[in-house]
């Protein structure tokens, strides 16, 4: 497996001759998907440009030399490496002045790895965007260890994020009508800046799978508790998640189960429990199964707790109401036996508070049903693999589910650590980011850590950002009234309208420095910290982060030109290049490589 290359040149590199590479040595193995090779010249006052000649493709390119560092970067693309077992590279240091300076030349020969290294690709699926720290972590411990670490989120050092008091961002005393967007600002903060990235991906997945939003008269605080609950249970068991969803006050109101009582059934929750949450529409149930399932959950309800501001709803189970003389005033729960044909089981009826156990028993059966396993594993494979995943990933997930008793950690691991996961080239760059993934990946990738504490109005910024980028593109998770949630497949997010709204909102946030809640990124500081000086170095660095090292030559060349601007000069160590960097970020968010996973 090819090594994950550095996104920036090494610190303290000393040039031994007139010119040489700094990140790789002669004979190194390069990944077939391309690589950025950093180097330096001994005397940048003499040599201010380097011509690179790639022997296999015959391509020639001239790159700048940093006037203070002497550094340069050459990007090799898949076309330079395709079909080659080795590739030759000749670097020639030259002077643009043409003042009789003799060129200095050096040649390298590299091995080319088969097109199997999918580490960078995978990082775009198990998190909301790579950072240089992410690349370094994976390179340090390996992909398998990184996945296992992410599957145990409590072992992931999240001190830097938690020290910013992310819980304090959520002002629960705000007007109830404002809470939905504030809740999403709270979640965007976690998704963008927490180091526990796989947990955030799963939090979004479970919230969408068990989709419910506050309805008229219900408390928006229940929505916050729901997201927090899925975050806490992200890697528990499916059975625990299913029960948490079933007892969610939002779900009670959203799917009308609060109105389902003995002799007056409402079938909405029962139907969606089977179709959307467990066995799926093709899971084998029929219309004659809906009624007994609905009767199992009669009496599952919610109540308002009024001693909070705003008031909050909690789950309750109601069996009966009694009059003052002890006679039954109203029967909520149906205490009779319920036979569910497609399951081949009869749920024994129970009286009084014991009736609650009927629902618990049925949820446990559904959680381990083979159709539930296949349905949910198929959805997970669409998230992590492709819109039409190979059956082997679903089968591995189902097998791990069955053998582990439904441990989420185990069946997610079965997909991510499948022997073919990193080498399956058919799954490369074949998924489109949802508007939420698109927006959060930008924040995570290009917002330095200090932004979490440095933004004067972080909650307002994140709320405005979510509304103008995600919600306007049609993906407001806390206001979406359809119980299906949002589809995992890309076709949902490739319409012209969605793409235009994403670009309009994002570019406005990136480039509008007068906006009240602008992103306010000091990219000059970020570039300096990465030790970069030339347009080619910066373009490779930014695109490497934005696309997890998968971008085209045309995108690279376009970004280099954008950085250099009309005067053809980009020198961040010698002059203010903030506007050039803002232009570059505005361009990146419109590139196909950033939109793709």
């Amino acid at each position: 497996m090819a090594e994950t290359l550095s996104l920036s040149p090494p610190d303290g590199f000393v040039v031994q001759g007139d010119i040489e590479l700094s990140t790789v040595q002669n004979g190194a193995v390069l990944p077939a998907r391309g690589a950025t090779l950093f180097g330096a010249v001994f005397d940048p006052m003499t040599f201010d440009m380097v011509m690179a000649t790639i022997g296999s493709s015959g391509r020639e390119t001239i790159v700048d030399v940093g006037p203070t560092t002497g550094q340069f970067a050459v990007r090799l693309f898949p076309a330079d490496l395709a079909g080659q077992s080795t590739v030759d590279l000749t670097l020639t240091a030259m002077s643009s002045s043409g003042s009789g300076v003799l060129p200095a030349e050096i040649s390298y020969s590299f091995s080319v790895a088969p097109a199997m290294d999918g580490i960078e690709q995978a990082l775009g699926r198990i998190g909301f965007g790579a950072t240089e720290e992410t690349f370094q972590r994976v390179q340090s411990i390996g992909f398998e260890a990184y996945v296992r670490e992410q599957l145990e989120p409590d072992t992931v050092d999240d001190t830097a994020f938690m020290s910013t008091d992310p819980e304090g961002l959520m002002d629960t005393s705000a007007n109830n009508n404002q809470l939905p967007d504030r809740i999403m600002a709270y979640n965007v903060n976690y998704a963008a800046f927490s180091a526990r990235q796989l947990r955030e991906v799963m939090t979004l997945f479970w919230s969408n799978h068990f989709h419910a939003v506050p309805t008229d008269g219900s408390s928006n605080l229940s929505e916050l508790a729901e997201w927090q609950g899925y975050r806490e249970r992200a890697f528990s068991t499916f059975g625990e998640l299913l029960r948490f969803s079933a007892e969610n006050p939002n779900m009670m109101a959203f799917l009308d189960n609060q109105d389902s009582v003995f002799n007056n059934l409402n079938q909405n929750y029962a139907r969606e429990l089977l179709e959307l949450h467990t066995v799926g529409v093709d899971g084998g149930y029929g219309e004659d199964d809906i009624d007994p399932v609905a009767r199992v959950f009669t009496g599952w309800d919610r109540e308002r707790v009024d001693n909070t501001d705003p008031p909050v709803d909690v789950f309750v189970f109601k069996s009966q109401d009694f009059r003052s003389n002890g006679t039954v005033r109203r029967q909520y729960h149906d205490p009779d036996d319920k036979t569910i044909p497609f399951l081949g089981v009869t749920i024994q009826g129970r009286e009084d508070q014991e009736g609650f156990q009927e629902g618990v028993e049925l949820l446990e059966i559904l959680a381990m049903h083979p159709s539930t396993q296949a349905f949910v594993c198929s959805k997970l494979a669409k998230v992590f693999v492709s819109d039409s995943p190979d059956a082997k990933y679903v089968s591995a997930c189902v097998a791990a589910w069955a053998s582990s008793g439904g441990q989420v950690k185990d069946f997610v691991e079965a997909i991510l650590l499948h022997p073919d996961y990193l080498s399956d080239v058919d799954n490369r760059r074949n998924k489109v980011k949802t508007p939420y993934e698109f927006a959060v990946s930008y924040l995570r990738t290009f917002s330095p850590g200090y932004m979490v504490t440095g933004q004067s109005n972080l909650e307002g910024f994140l709320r405005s950002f979510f509304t103008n980028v995600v919600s306007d593109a049609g993906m407001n998770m806390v206001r979406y009234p359809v119980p299906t949630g949002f589809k995992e497949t890309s076709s949902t997010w490739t319409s012209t309208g969605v793409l235009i709204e994403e670009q309009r909102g994002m570019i406005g946030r990136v480039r509008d420095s007068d906006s009240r809640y602008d992103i306010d990124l000091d990219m000059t500081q970020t570039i300096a910290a990465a030790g970069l000086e030339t347009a080619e170095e910066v373009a490779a660095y930014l695109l490497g982060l934005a696309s997890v090292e998968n971008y085209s030559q045309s995108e690279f060349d376009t970004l280099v030109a954008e950085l250099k601007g009309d005067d053809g000069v980009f020198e961040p160590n010698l002059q203010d290049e903030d506007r050039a960097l803002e232009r570059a970020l505005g361009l990146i968010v419109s590139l196909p490589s950033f939109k793709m996973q």
Side-chain angles (χ1 to χ4, degrees):
M1 184 179 295
E3 184 180 25
T4 304
L5 298 179
S6 175
L7 295 174
S8 57
D11 295 331
F13 177 75
V14 178
V15 184
Q16 301 299 317
D18 287 327
I19 178 176
E20 63 182 297
L21 293 177
S22 58
T23 46
V24 293
Q25 301 301 313
N26 200 37
V29 179
L30 302 182
R33 50 105 178 116
T36 302
L37 308 181
F38 291 93
V41 300
F42 179 76
D43 182 6
M45 297 295 291
T46 300
F47 300 115
D48 61 352
M49 60 183 185
V50 169
M51 182 173 70
T53 304
I54 299 98
S56 53
S57 65
R59 182 170 68 91
E60 290 186 346
T61 183
I62 295 177
V63 301
D64 290 340
V65 170
T68 63
T69 63
Q71 293 173 176
F72 63 88
V74 175
R75 179 70 185 185
L76 301 183
F77 295 94
D80 299 321
L81 307 173
Q84 305 295 318
S85 58
T86 61
V87 61
D88 297 322
L89 175 69
T90 299
L91 301 173
T92 306
M94 302 181 298
S95 171
S96 62
S97 66
S99 57
V101 176
L102 294 176
E105 184 178 289
I106 188 170
S107 294
Y108 292 86
S109 181
F110 304 110
S111 298
V112 180
M116 296 176 59
D117 186 6
I119 291 177
E120 291 86 353
Q121 164 77 22
L123 292 179
R125 303 281 175 86
I126 63 177
F128 286 99
T131 63
E132 189 155 18
E133 290 75 21
T134 306
F135 279 96
Q136 291 170 351
R137 184 63 178 164
V138 174
Q139 189 160 349
S140 172
I141 67 175
F143 179 73
E144 181 175 338
Y146 179 77
V147 168
R148 295 189 189 281
E149 184 177 73
Q150 286 288 309
L151 288 167
E152 299 283 355
D154 289 344
T155 70
V156 177
D157 184 5
D158 217 12
T159 305
F161 174 66
M162 296 307 297
S163 67
T164 66
D165 187 24
E167 302 302 320
L169 183 69
M170 189 64 240
D171 179 10
T172 57
S173 65
N175 182 285
N176 192 50
N177 292 330
Q178 297 178 355
L179 275 174
D181 290 339
R182 290 179 182 269
I183 290 168
M184 287 317 303
Y186 169 89
N187 287 309
V188 167
N189 191 38
Y190 264 91
F193 301 115
S194 172
R196 297 164 179 173
Q197 280 290 287
L198 186 52
R199 185 183 71 170
E200 292 308 308
V201 171
M202 293 306 299
T203 299
L204 177 63
F205 177 82
W206 294 128
S207 180
N208 189 56
H209 180 74
F210 299 113
H211 180 67
V213 297
T215 59
D216 291 343
S218 60
S219 170
N220 287 314
L221 279 183
S222 299
E223 178 79 8
L224 175 61
E226 179 185 3
W227 279 84
Q228 289 172 325
Y230 290 129
R231 181 171 288 112
E232 293 166 1
R233 296 166 176 80
F235 297 114
S236 59
T237 67
F238 182 78
E240 184 177 345
L241 286 155
L242 180 61
R243 178 168 171 178
F244 175 77
S245 165
E247 296 178 1
N248 174 15
N250 270 357
M251 192 69 74
M252 294 295 100
F254 187 56
L255 295 181
D256 304 310
N257 203 69
Q258 62 186 14
D259 301 323
S260 186
V261 295
F262 183 63
N263 288 334
N264 188 20
L265 288 180
N266 186 300
Q267 296 183 340
N268 283 359
Y269 176 69
R271 189 178 303 277
E272 307 303 3
L273 171 66
L274 298 178
E275 178 180 338
L276 302 178
H277 302 168
T278 56
V279 297
V281 68
D282 298 319
Y285 70 92
E287 283 298 315
D288 55 345
D289 295 293
I290 304 299
D291 186 86
V293 170
R295 291 197 295 122
V296 166
F297 291 99
T298 49
W300 288 49
D301 202 348
R302 66 184 177 101
E303 276 187 357
R304 175 64 50 86
V305 177
D306 292 322
N307 59 352
T308 60
D309 186 17
V312 65
D313 298 325
V314 297
F315 169 77
V316 294
F317 174 76
K318 297 178 181 178
S319 175
Q320 298 168 319
D321 271 349
F322 295 93
R323 299 184 178 90
S324 58
N325 63 2
T327 60
V328 174
R329 183 176 65 85
R330 188 177 189 186
Q331 182 78 36
Y332 289 96
H333 178 66
D334 182 342
D336 295 334
D337 292 349
K338 294 92 176 171
T339 298
I340 304 170
F342 92 104
L343 293 178
V345 300
T346 296
I347 303 296
Q348 181 184 355
R350 296 162 174 88
E351 300 280 353
D352 303 324
Q353 289 300 307
E354 286 298 311
F356 169 69
Q357 294 303 319
E358 295 180 33
V360 173
E361 180 181 335
L362 178 55
L363 291 174
E364 290 174 349
I365 293 171
L366 289 171
M368 291 302 294
H369 194 278
S371 293
T372 299
Q373 296 168 9
F375 176 57
V376 178
C377 283
S378 177
K379 291 182 68 174
L380 278 169
K382 289 176 181 178
V383 170
F384 291 120
V385 181
S386 76
D387 290 347
S388 301
D390 191 294
K392 61 189 174 185
Y393 296 105
V394 178
S395 297
C397 176
V398 167
W401 186 320
S403 63
S404 70
Q407 290 287 336
V408 175
K409 179 176 70 68
D410 289 352
F411 59 72
V412 170
E413 177 183 295
I415 296 176
L416 299 182
L417 296 185
H418 188 282
D420 297 336
Y421 187 64
L422 295 181
S423 60
D424 238 339
V425 296
D426 290 342
N427 298 326
R428 305 288 172 79
R429 316 300 289 165
N430 65 355
K431 285 180 59 63
V432 175
K433 294 177 183 175
T434 68
Y436 186 80
E437 292 167 338
F438 175 75
V440 173
S441 65
Y442 182 86
L443 288 177
R444 175 161 175 78
T445 301
F446 296 119
S447 298
Y450 66 80
M451 173 176 160
V452 183
T453 54
Q455 188 75 24
S456 60
N457 189 346
L458 180 60
E459 189 276 333
F461 157 71
L462 292 173
R463 182 157 42 93
S464 173
F465 185 79
F466 173 80
T467 301
N468 285 275
V469 180
V470 183
S471 184
D472 284 359
M475 193 180 181
N476 192 324
M477 293 87 89
V478 289
R479 298 183 187 273
Y480 189 59
V482 183
T484 57
F486 294 100
K487 293 183 179 179
E488 283 76 18
T489 50
S490 302
S491 58
T492 309
W493 310 112
T494 53
S495 70
T496 302
V498 169
L499 296 175
I500 288 175
E501 286 300 326
E502 283 183 339
Q503 300 304 323
R504 181 194 63 78
M506 184 72 83
I507 292 175
R509 282 296 173 271
V510 172
R511 292 185 169 180
D512 183 8
S513 59
D514 295 326
S515 171
R516 179 184 177 193
Y517 297 130
D518 68 297
I519 291 183
D520 193 23
L521 302 182
D522 186 352
M523 287 306 298
T524 300
Q525 177 178 322
T526 302
I527 295 305
L532 309 173
E533 186 175 18
T534 70
E536 290 84 7
E537 287 180 297
V538 172
Y541 176 80
L542 295 179
L543 285 170
L545 291 174
S547 67
V548 282
E549 284 287 270
N550 287 277
Y551 53 91
S552 69
Q553 182 178 343
S554 63
E555 290 177 322
F556 179 80
D557 291 343
T558 302
L559 188 60
V560 169
E562 191 71 54
L563 287 165
K564 290 185 175 183
D566 293 336
D567 62 1
V569 177
F570 179 78
E571 296 179 338
N573 284 7
L574 300 179
Q575 62 185 25
D576 182 0
E577 296 285 12
D578 284 351
R579 296 305 298 173
L581 289 167
E582 287 180 2
R583 292 196 309 269
L585 293 178
L587 173 63
I588 283 174
V589 299
S590 67
L591 295 177
S593 66
F594 183 64
K595 179 64 177 173
M596 298 299 292
Q597 283 185 327

